[in-house]
Amino acid sequence: TNLDMDDTDKTLSVAVTLEDSYKTLKPDLQRRFRQLGIFAPDGTFDVLAAAWVWGDVTAEMVATAAADASPPPTGTSSGRTPSPAPSAEDGTAGEGEFEEGLETARDALLDLTRYALLTQADGRYDQHALLRAHARARMTEAERGQIFDRYADYYPRRAAQFDQLPPEDWAVLEPDLPDIHHLGDTLVKLCASDASYMERGLG
């Protein structure tokens, strides 16, 4: 979809164009496109984040993969607790359901990129603000709640790595900061009207 339109062209409706593009997708790809609307408008995400939000991988799969990972190289601490949200690109996860889930997510991300609904650079994915807004608007309230729960489960695990990693390694987490902040801001608003979010918000 070309979003760079001539201002003088008043006949082309962005909403209609986006909806027509959306309708060409198969149902599963429509679902995946919609659910990308949960991410921060100014952020990017990697394969693991998408796979987690889409339900292709779970916390249990990640924990199993971390437990099956190769021992740390000589000279590093062997007592460090494995990260609950390892990088999808680090090559340390074992085979099995986790890798299959990542591969499913990679395939979907590739399809969405081919449809020009995503852009990819340096292993991370970005979505134009209009596409992100359209994706979010297509979600039902029930779907948004389900996807938000996954989103709100993933990014605190990423944020926790600031405590697990030495400061010199914090740069690997910087690309996730827009979503960590976006989640925090969202939880503050939710806590004001729904006390059930308080525990998660404080966390």
Side-chain angles (χ1 to χ4, degrees), residues 35-46 49 53 118 124-133 136 139 147-148 151-152 154-155 174-186:
Q35 293 174 357
L36 292 181
I38 205 69
F39 288 102
D42 57 344
T44 63
F45 53 90
D46 62 11
V53 164
L118 286 176
R124 297 188 69 86
Y125 295 84
D126 192 11
Q127 195 172 41
H128 191 283
L130 287 176
L131 290 170
R132 186 76 55 91
R136 189 171 183 84
M139 279 193 285
I147 300 310
F148 179 77
Y151 179 77
Y154 179 78
Y155 280 101
E174 287 182 5
D176 289 315
L177 287 177
D179 277 287
I180 292 172
H181 293 159
H182 179 64
L183 174 61
D185 292 343
T186 302

Side-chain angles (χ1 to χ4, degrees), residues 145-169:
Q146 179 187 41
I147 300 310
F148 179 77
D149 283 345
R150 293 178 188 162
Y151 179 77
D153 185 43
Y154 179 78
Y155 280 101
R157 294 169 183 267
R158 293 294 289 169
Q161 293 186 66
F162 280 106
D163 292 330
Q164 298 173 6
L165 296 174
E168 59 267 25
D169 291 341

